[in-house]
Amino acid sequence: MHYYFAPLEGITGYVYRTVHHRYFPGIDRYYMPFVAPNYTMHFKEKEKQDIDPAHNEGLTAVPQILSNKADETLWAVEELVDRGYREINLNLGCPMPTVARKKKGSGLLKFTDELDAYLDGVYNGLDRRQGDRPPVSLSVKTRLGTDSTDEAEALVRIYNRYPVSELIVHPRCQADLYKGKPDMEAFLTVLRGSTNPVVYNGDLICPEDVREVGRMCEEAPQGIESVMIGRGLLADPSLVRQCRGGELITAQELSAFHDELYCRYREIFPGDKVVLNHMKELWSYMGKLFPDGAKCLKEIKKAGTRIQYEAAVRVLLGTCRVERAGRKENRTDGGK
Ligand SMILES: Cc1cc2nc3c(=O)[nH]c(=O)nc-3n(C[C@H](O)[C@H](O)[C@H](O)COP(=O)(O)O)c2cc1C
């Protein structure tokens, strides 16, 4: 099995990716949070920092484009190719209403003619590239509909018209956001019908979840060779190591990982408030490793200063037990 780290906008920027890779090597590809090209044909400063090859040294990073316009996408593709990237991912999965309302991300999925025209423009544009340009493959990350996963069959017919290097499927629709369970039936429909390789993404929290999805997919002739994991890896940065038969993270490892991340964030973010907000968001996931840590986690959340934050983290890591995340059906958090 290959393991991909999902893009998580606002969390898995280049600092997180490089620190994670240093402490927990073994991720096959880190997908980057999206860049959103527009008519100005310029990347924003934050995007430039994230896609800078010097900031992604030593790991396999795949940039992602969020757009519904072929010309803007093709401009961004060439910019990324010039920076050395050879796989680029198209975001057809973002469920946020502000994005979906603009017919981008999973908001484009119900406008099947426009989706088809967008992909046609992009993949034909790639075919027309000059022969001396470096080769590049385009993968797609998609949900299975805007209003319902019943849209899956029509979507796979469209994706089959294009040489999608990998179709990464999160089997929810836009309207679901992150509620309910991933629709495995709809995922298997796509897996059976897709002429492109398919990757599973969604709610993988522990190694048993990965094994179960692998087993379910064996019934389809092509099966799956890769999974993408997002929130499960945020919660337990050692998850892929465990999937490969390795050990659960220790409090010492988490402490070293945390300290380096915290230091690097202090170097790049303007002011303690921004740093603390980033760290607190991360603890809303990593806190799941501490079944008896509720009181300490509350102190972390409440911390208004660096001193209070650092003290609360020390107490959590020094006194609370680290435990492996449980199977989905045993969880009561709705899978956050
Ligand atoms: C905070 C947050 C930010 C996300 N940002 C992106 C993004 O930039 N691009 C993208 O394709 N998906 C994004 N996603 C979706 C994840 O990549 C992933 O598909 C989703 O969380 C389901 O996988 P998981 O259950 O393993 O987390 C984001 C999800 C969250 C929770």
Side-chain angles (χ1 to χ4, degrees):
M1 191 70 90
H2 298 119
Y3 296 95
Y4 303 160
F5 206 136
L8 295 135
E9 217 279 315
I11 308 177
T12 60
Y14 72 92
V15 170
Y16 183 93
R17 292 194 297 273
T18 46
V19 176
H20 182 271
H21 176 67
R22 204 158 107 80
Y23 286 86
F24 304 98
I27 301 290
D28 293 290
R29 296 180 198 165
Y30 288 83
Y31 283 73
M32 302 173 170
F34 62 81
V35 293
N38 59 31
Y39 67 94
T40 62
M41 306 289 182
H42 281 94
F43 289 125
K44 297 180 195 75
E45 190 49 40
K46 179 171 168 250
E47 296 175 337
K48 278 190 207 155
Q49 294 295 321
D50 205 45
I51 59 179
D52 185 340
H55 289 162
N56 290 282
E57 246 168 7
L59 49 91
T60 305
V62 179
Q64 184 187 62
I65 297 172
L66 174 78
S67 176
N68 55 13
K69 295 200 170 59
D71 57 342
E72 292 170 7
T73 300
L74 289 166
W75 168 80
V77 165
E78 295 307 343
E79 287 287 318
L80 293 164
V81 167
D82 285 342
R83 287 165 170 81
Y85 296 103
R86 296 292 175 267
E87 180 195 336
I88 294 164
N89 182 256
L90 302 181
N91 180 329
L92 290 164
C94 182
M96 300 323 289
T98 44
V99 168
R101 265 200 298 274
K102 293 184 205 148
K103 294 191 187 171
K104 290 184 184 173
S106 56
L108 185 60
L109 300 177
K110 77 170 166 186
F111 302 98
T112 46
D113 289 345
E114 286 170 61
L115 171 68
D116 198 14
Y118 170 63
L119 294 173
D120 189 66
V122 172
Y123 281 93
N124 274 322
L126 279 197
D127 275 351
R128 287 194 304 271
R129 294 168 83 230
Q130 285 162 0
D132 57 353
R133 293 289 294 153
V136 59
S137 62
L138 280 194
S139 57
V140 165
K141 183 166 179 285
T142 188
R143 287 197 174 218
L144 289 184
T146 301
D147 300 322
S148 157
T149 50
D150 293 346
E151 296 161 41
E153 272 183 66
L155 289 173
V156 83
R157 277 197 296 274
I158 294 174
Y159 292 134
N160 282 348
R161 290 183 197 136
Y162 304 99
V164 176
S165 64
E166 283 187 308
L167 184 65
I168 303 166
V169 176
H170 179 55
R172 286 188 168 98
C173 66
Q174 188 259 329
D176 291 338
L177 297 174
Y178 292 97
K179 293 191 294 281
K181 287 190 174 168
D183 184 341
M184 279 312 286
E185 265 318 302
F187 178 80
L188 291 172
T189 303
V190 172
L191 184 61
R192 287 185 211 106
S194 177
T195 54
N196 296 306
V198 176
V199 175
Y200 176 84
N201 165 239
D203 293 29
L204 300 175
I205 299 298
C206 57
E208 289 78 12
D209 291 342
V210 176
R211 281 197 284 277
E212 186 181 321
V213 162
R215 257 195 312 276
M216 288 173 90
C217 295
E218 277 168 13
E219 65 145 89
Q222 67 160 313
I224 52 164
E225 290 182 358
S226 311
V227 291
M228 173 179 272
I229 308 178
R231 293 164 298 169
L233 263 167
L234 289 183
D236 179 352
S238 72
L239 178 56
V240 165
R241 181 173 79 195
Q242 293 169 62
C243 291
R244 296 188 191 280
E247 295 297 308
L248 170 67
I249 194 168
T250 61
Q252 289 85 339
E253 270 184 303
L254 186 63
S255 172
F257 171 67
H258 166 276
D259 290 354
E260 181 160 346
L261 204 53
Y262 179 55
C263 264
R264 298 274 310 273
Y265 281 164
R266 287 186 57 203
E267 286 162 16
I268 64 158
F269 289 133
D272 290 351
K273 196 161 188 278
V274 187
V275 175
L276 294 194
N277 285 344
H278 270 80
M279 296 311 297
K280 288 178 189 182
E281 180 164 20
L282 212 49
W283 280 114
S284 75
Y285 296 97
M286 297 194 302
K288 295 182 205 322
L289 283 169
F290 298 89
D292 50 3
K295 202 163 154 256
C296 298
L297 289 162
K298 206 165 153 197
E299 291 302 312
I300 292 178
K301 204 168 160 189
K302 259 178 35 196
T305 66
R306 210 150 44 77
I307 308 286
Q308 288 165 344
Y309 171 77
E310 288 166 16
V313 170
R314 262 199 308 278
V315 176
L316 176 77
L317 290 169
T319 61
C320 296
R321 178 172 51 98
V322 172
E323 203 175 277
R324 224 179 91 183
R327 293 297 314 276
K328 281 196 281 267
E329 54 269 33
N330 300 331
R331 294 204 311 270
T332 54
D333 60 359
K336 190 193 166 195

